[in-house]
Amino acid sequence: MANKDRNKTILLELGKLPENNQCADCSAPDPDWASYKLGVFVCLNCSGVHRNLSNISRVKSIRLDFWDDELVKFMKTNGNATGRAIYEKAVPAFYYRPQQEDCAVLREQWIRAKYERMEFTGFYEGMLWKKGKEKGQFQRRKFVLSEKEFTLVYYNKEDPSKGPKALISIKDVNVTFQPEKIGHAHGLQITYQKDSHTRSIFVYHESGEEIVNWFNAIRAARFAYLKTAYPTGSDKELRTRITRNYLKEGYMEKTGPMQKETFKKRWFILDSQDRKLLYFKSQLDAEELGVVFIGTETNGYSVSECIPKRTRGNRWRCGVTVDTPDRQFVFMCEQEREQREWVEALREVISKPMQPQDYTSKSHVTSIHTTGDS
């Protein structure tokens, strides 16, 4: 059983330590309250804000309330110095840190920015529902985004000591909302490059606020990476490369290089920024079956509507032909409207001038074909 007087003495002694003798949030002297979920000592005024963050912080008086042994042990392990190292790790130089005499709104938003929005940790973490490989079921997984290290990792188990399932570089990450595809109003698709292939992770969260926070956190990390990778680029230029929606997505039927092979139904994504037409067996596949690089007309690329004379196995009749320097691709759409939309979207990409990075992308693609689906 906890010893009330002993624990009170321990807490008062902890509060007198140099790292704890000022409020963790406004620097008021001799704080009499503490958050036993965050492990920090705070003043009476700031404790009121913490009470409104009950899912994040819980406060007690170190003089008047009862503390059990485990909570006292937690406070000894943590403290204001530890809290600052975590929650104030990356406070911008311009950011105003409220003091004791400042108005309530400044103190409240400072506290919420630190502990609720975790704006200054340099990382963002939480639980998301992720589509698994087996049976396509969504399972809760822990994700951690590090803006400092430019990485996104997730764990198959909630215990991080088991090590991450995947470590993803922010360098090639894209994130886009896909509610219809995922079947959830808060569905998010995260794509990245691995071994010259495009990998996709499909996630959602029950809270709309939380999934939007993840979306913006990934965008913030991407922007920080781009500022480092392209130091001379203007904010306006870099903003267009943070994340993007795909120009066109949908099912088409596809045949092989001889145009005598059986047509197969595939899910296609046209990524105009990377000039790639990717195709998948289904719309929620984790990895593409193949990629077609889409260059410019001067480099030998074109697209047109067509009615193939020799086809086998196709159910759809509205053809699209994509000519590249390497081969001709023939796709079939179900409806004329979809045929027109695909042709217009592909022509839009073909009409765009090639950028220096596009030539690098082309050398990595060269019409990749995997798992025998050509």
Side-chain angles (χ1 to χ4, degrees):
M1 181 178 292
N3 185 309
K4 181 178 180 179
D5 292 336
R6 183 194 66 200
N7 285 346
K8 177 180 177 180
T9 300
I10 293 173
L11 288 168
L12 291 173
E13 290 176 352
L14 287 174
K16 293 177 181 177
L17 294 175
E19 60 267 30
N20 296 328
N21 65 7
Q22 291 184 327
C23 173
D25 298 321
C26 74
S27 300
D30 305 320
D32 282 342
W33 293 78
S35 168
Y36 58 86
K37 289 189 72 174
L38 298 172
V40 295
F41 292 84
V42 296
C43 69
L44 176 62
N45 286 335
C46 290
S47 73
V49 180
H50 281 259
R51 286 193 190 91
N52 292 326
L53 305 176
S54 57
N55 60 324
I56 297 169
S57 181
R58 296 287 178 88
V59 292
K60 285 175 178 274
S61 167
I62 63 175
R63 294 181 180 275
L64 304 177
D65 290 325
F66 172 80
W67 289 71
D68 63 33
D69 293 342
E70 286 301 313
L71 294 184
V72 173
K73 182 179 179 181
F74 179 74
M75 295 303 301
K76 290 176 69 175
T77 304
N78 291 276
N80 291 4
T82 300
R84 279 192 292 272
I86 297 172
Y87 299 106
E88 298 181 26
K89 183 178 181 180
V91 181
F94 64 82
Y95 203 97
Y96 183 75
R97 299 170 185 250
Q99 300 300 302
Q100 177 186 7
E101 64 276 6
D102 282 313
C103 62
V105 68
L106 272 175
R107 285 186 286 106
E108 178 184 357
Q109 290 306 313
W110 165 244
I111 292 168
R112 288 186 179 276
K114 286 205 301 182
Y115 307 118
E116 185 178 51
R117 300 192 293 270
M118 298 181 69
E119 293 182 9
F120 315 122
T121 59
F123 65 89
Y124 193 85
E125 66 176 68
M127 304 298 294
L128 295 172
W129 288 93
K130 175 188 173 292
K131 179 182 176 293
K133 290 184 179 179
E134 298 180 5
K135 300 180 181 179
Q137 295 179 336
F138 282 82
Q139 299 169 313
R140 277 173 60 84
R141 296 290 182 250
K142 181 176 181 179
F143 283 76
V144 179
L145 173 69
S146 173
E147 187 174 316
K148 181 180 179 181
E149 298 177 3
F150 300 132
T151 57
L152 174 67
V153 301
Y154 72 88
Y155 301 83
N156 266 1
K157 304 294 182 182
E158 292 191 23
D159 183 4
S161 65
K162 302 295 183 181
K165 175 65 176 177
L167 191 153
I168 302 164
S169 171
I170 289 296
K171 176 178 180 291
D172 299 306
V173 161
N174 185 48
V175 59
T176 178
F177 277 96
Q178 296 280 13
E180 293 183 6
K181 182 191 291 188
I182 294 173
H184 194 284
H186 307 152
L188 207 61
Q189 179 177 351
I190 302 169
T191 58
Y192 62 98
Q193 298 298 306
K194 181 180 179 182
D195 301 327
S196 298
H197 292 286
T198 300
R199 298 277 300 179
S200 292
I201 297 174
F202 302 96
V203 299
Y204 72 85
H205 196 281
E206 300 92 335
S207 165
E209 179 183 359
E210 181 66 11
I211 202 66
V212 171
N213 285 344
W214 270 104
F215 177 70
N216 283 316
I218 294 173
R219 282 181 56 84
R222 277 280 301 159
F223 186 63
Y225 165 77
L226 291 170
K227 293 285 283 185
T228 302
Y230 306 99
T232 60
S234 68
D235 287 356
K236 182 179 180 180
E237 293 170 332
L238 297 181
R239 273 198 297 269
T240 62
R241 300 191 64 84
I242 298 175
T243 59
R244 72 274 187 192
N245 294 327
Y246 298 118
L247 184 58
K248 174 72 177 167
E249 293 189 61
Y251 279 111
M252 291 192 289
E253 292 181 330
K254 176 187 175 297
T255 187
M258 302 300 295
Q259 298 183 17
K260 296 179 180 180
E261 297 85 352
T262 301
F263 275 82
K264 298 177 181 178
K265 185 179 178 181
R266 297 291 183 247
W267 180 263
F268 285 80
I269 293 178
L270 181 57
D271 185 344
S272 61
Q273 180 169 294
D274 286 349
R275 309 188 75 106
K276 292 178 181 178
L277 179 65
L278 305 99
Y279 54 94
F280 305 78
K281 188 173 182 179
S282 68
Q283 58 183 332
L284 293 181
D285 280 0
E287 186 174 302
E288 88 281 356
L289 293 173
V291 186
V292 182
F293 182 82
I294 307 297
T296 61
E297 188 173 2
T298 56
N299 289 322
Y301 293 82
S302 64
V303 59
S304 61
E305 298 178 3
C306 71
I307 304 177
K309 296 179 180 179
R310 296 175 297 176
T311 59
R312 186 162 66 92
N314 63 302
R315 295 182 296 114
W316 298 341
R317 302 299 177 189
C318 305
V320 175
T321 299
V322 176
D323 288 293
T324 78
D326 301 317
R327 61 171 277 195
Q328 184 183 74
F329 293 85
V330 176
F331 311 117
M332 303 296 287
C333 300
E334 185 176 17
Q335 300 175 356
E336 290 184 359
R337 175 182 57 80
E338 293 175 349
Q339 179 191 43
R340 289 194 301 271
E341 289 176 355
W342 275 110
V343 169
E344 290 172 3
L346 287 161
R347 282 177 177 164
E348 181 177 331
V349 178
I350 290 171
S351 67
K352 289 171 47 180
M354 295 267 285
Q355 302 298 320
Q357 63 269 19
D358 293 332
Y359 292 95
T360 302
S361 178
K362 180 179 184 297
S363 67
H364 288 161
V365 175
T366 58
S367 302
I368 295 172
H369 303 297
T370 62
T371 65
D373 193 306
S374 57

